[in-house]
Structures are given as C-alpha cells and as structure tokens.
Amino acid sequence: QVQLVESGGGLVQAGGSLRLSCAASRSIFSINSMGWYRQTPGKQRELVAQITSAGTTNYADSVKGRFTISRDNAKNTLYLQMTSLKPEDTAVYYCKGVAGFVGYWGQGTQVTVSS
C-alpha cells in the first residue's frame, strides 16, 4: 500500500505558473505508472499527464507544451510543473499511482486560475 499527499496548489493569475508535488509514503521505484488528474464540479475526473517507471510521458492535448510531469524516485515524489496557466485549468488536481493492478489516489489539491 502507498499513501499519496499532494501539495503546491493555490491561486494564480492567468499566465502564471505553479508546481504541484505528490509525496509517496514509500519508494515509488516499483510504481509502474504515476499521473496527475483533475476534476471540476459536475465533470468526470480527467487525465492531465502520466509518466511510467521508464520515464515515458503522456499528456492531455489541452496541456501539451505548458505542463511537464516528472518523478524523482530518490525523493519518492511526483511533480507537475504548470506554466502559462489558463482559467480553464482551474480544478482539483489529484495524484495517482498504479502498483501492480492497484491504483492509489491522493486527496487532491485545489488550483484556481484567475482571469
């Protein structure tokens, strides 16, 4: 089992940047896939970015070129660097890790982008 705790959310103006962090309670070296998802009220949770243990990344079209996902296995931490933020990026952002066939979620961190 692994606990995931997100941090780094907040209020930022459009065009600004934020870096989200997701700290794991144990080594993430063996966690096959980690990712960031986001959700707004009344909508389904959507994938923002994913990274595999091999470092392969995948991004939603809406964030390509603006967001960068990375993982630091030594610090057991997943990151999401967000730049050129838009009001439509406003959401609760969740971290997810998949170990074997089990998915683990963090509690979420709010990101609000003002116009």
Side-chain angles (χ1 to χ4, degrees):
Q1 210 173 22
V2 58
Q3 282 76 47
L4 302 172
V5 179
E6 301 97 335
S7 62
L11 174 64
V12 64
Q13 287 189 331
S17 299
L18 281 175
R19 188 176 80 155
L20 304 183
S21 299
C22 172
S25 60
R26 65 163 178 82
S27 171
I28 64 171
F29 182 79
S30 61
I31 298 180
N32 305 328
S33 174
M34 299 194 75
W36 290 97
Y37 292 71
R38 65 187 181 189
Q39 187 171 26
T40 55
K43 292 190 176 181
Q44 285 191 328
R45 196 170 295 186
E46 63 174 3
L47 174 67
V48 175
Q50 263 180 331
I51 185 167
T52 68
S53 56
T56 302
T57 58
N58 178 45
Y59 296 92
D61 288 342
S62 59
V63 307
K64 280 181 182 175
R66 300 188 298 121
F67 291 10
T68 303
I69 189 171
S70 62
R71 58 192 288 171
D72 187 333
N73 290 343
K75 295 183 178 179
N76 300 331
T77 304
L78 177 73
Y79 301 100
L80 184 68
Q81 179 67 49
M82 304 186 294
T83 63
S84 302
L85 283 161
K86 305 175 181 180
E88 51 264 42
D89 294 318
T90 296
V92 177
Y93 284 71
Y94 297 89
C95 169
K96 180 181 181 182
V98 178
F101 298 103
V102 181
Y104 301 92
W105 290 94
Q107 83 290 347
T109 185
Q110 176 70 46
V111 171
T112 302
V113 184
S114 63
S115 56

